[in-house]
Amino acid sequence: KVSKMALSTRSQVLRLYARIFRAARNWEAQDINETKVERNYIEDTARELFKKNKYLVNPEDVKLSIVEAEARLTMAEHYRNPYPRPVNLPKTSYSKREGKKVGKAIQKMNELSRPVYI
């Protein structure tokens, strides 16, 4: 038997999935030449993340994934930019000089960073 809460969550996830793909279908990039690239990015990322989270059973994990997806969609629509932006990283953490090894502290910072929408 499936509980009412599970059915409610399932319908919420399916509505969100449809909403994301509707947004991708109607997406217009700021640079008209990038529209197709950004549409493909939205669709591919959504498929990848929904498949990755398909087997989540903990209600808290499911809720967190739903909140993340809704926040990403809202921010993409508001800023007209589908790419996540980890704003809590220092500017220097991404750049690396040619031939220089990335330090352990910066590597750990990159791994632990969370985008702003979470």
Side-chain angles (χ1 to χ4, degrees):
K1 270 190 158 181
V2 180
S3 70
K4 277 190 173 188
M5 190 173 128
L7 285 175
S8 170
T9 302
R10 177 179 165 79
S11 64
Q12 186 179 7
V13 168
L14 291 174
R15 278 194 311 270
L16 179 59
Y17 189 80
R19 203 172 122 213
I20 290 170
F21 277 85
R22 196 173 310 111
R25 193 172 48 247
N26 299 323
W27 187 263
E28 294 295 329
Q30 291 177 349
D31 176 3
I32 199 152
N33 298 324
E34 293 294 314
T35 296
K36 188 168 180 65
V37 172
E38 291 184 8
R39 284 179 181 173
N40 289 338
Y41 173 80
I42 294 167
E43 291 173 353
D44 293 345
T45 303
R47 275 190 203 101
E48 177 186 325
L49 292 175
F50 275 85
K51 281 181 184 177
K52 181 182 125 192
N53 295 327
K54 182 178 181 179
Y55 299 104
L56 291 179
V57 290
N58 182 349
E60 290 299 315
D61 292 340
V62 173
K63 187 70 176 164
L64 185 63
S65 294
I66 290 171
V67 168
E68 177 184 349
E70 288 174 341
R72 285 182 72 161
L73 179 60
T74 301
M75 288 182 69
E77 290 172 338
H78 178 77
Y79 292 109
R80 303 303 307 154
N81 182 356
Y83 307 110
R85 186 173 147 234
V87 295
N88 54 340
L89 288 179
K91 294 176 188 174
T92 58
S93 67
Y94 277 119
S95 61
K96 164 175 117 62
R97 282 190 304 218
E98 192 66 36
K100 185 174 181 187
K101 191 175 174 186
V102 174
K104 286 184 181 181
I106 290 176
Q107 193 173 16
K108 185 168 180 87
M109 193 179 345
N110 286 342
E111 290 169 5
L112 295 175
S113 71
R114 304 281 298 181
V116 71
Y117 49 76
I118 298 180

